[in-house]
Amino acid sequence: IARLARLFAAAGVRRVRLTGGEPLLRTGLPDLVGELSAIDGLEDLALTTNGVLLAQHAAELAAQGLKRVTVSLDTLDPETFRRMSGGFDGLARVLDGIRAAQEAGLAPVKVNAVVQRGVNDGHTVELARHFRGSGVIVRFIEYMDVGNRNDWKPELVVPSREIRDAI
């Protein structure tokens, strides 16, 4: 990864985002972040995560040169969170991770919330209110087809204009 990032930086790439699966599960992630942050020409190094492990890693990742973090968080309702995360608990850990990221100086912290009709579309206002004034940027994202991985149905899509009008 670091070798490819050096090649891309030499070709003009200035921003790198670590994502895919759950990057915080990767052994040696802080070392990789340190390698990437030392590459000449890279101006921005960010990470996208589900946030469950973020509290225990935020300070070290920031110390190694991570600049920003985006956390996937679709709701603040524990039952809906469990449903949308495949039966896993962890809402409190995600919220702790967001706080830890802010305390570590990762900024801005962004929250991506995928909105599904009849699932969490009634929770957008609560999510926006929760982070209002906190410095966390909440982005509502339309539920989209990603192949056969998310059981996508067009009737579950909430157009962005509906989300905007709700908040």
Side-chain angles (χ1 to χ4, degrees), residues 21-112:
E22 176 47 53
L24 293 175
L25 290 173
R26 181 184 179 85
T27 302
L29 181 64
D31 294 331
L32 175 60
V33 167
E35 279 187 75
L36 293 172
S37 69
I39 295 173
D40 286 335
L42 286 185
E43 299 166 359
D44 185 40
L45 181 57
L47 177 122
T48 299
T49 175
N50 66 21
V52 172
L53 300 174
L54 186 56
Q56 64 197 71
H57 296 287
E60 183 179 12
L61 292 171
Q64 291 293 328
L66 187 68
K67 302 292 183 206
R68 300 181 297 113
V69 66
T70 300
V71 177
S72 300
L73 178 60
D74 303 320
T75 182
L76 293 174
D77 177 72
E79 183 56 39
T80 305
F81 178 90
R82 198 173 302 111
R83 177 179 171 196
M84 294 184 78
S85 64
F88 296 105
D89 268 331
L91 176 59
R93 291 176 69 188
V94 174
L95 294 172
D96 288 345
I98 291 169
R99 279 189 291 279
Q102 288 183 291
E103 290 168 5
L106 298 171
V109 174
K110 295 179 183 177
V111 167
N112 284 349

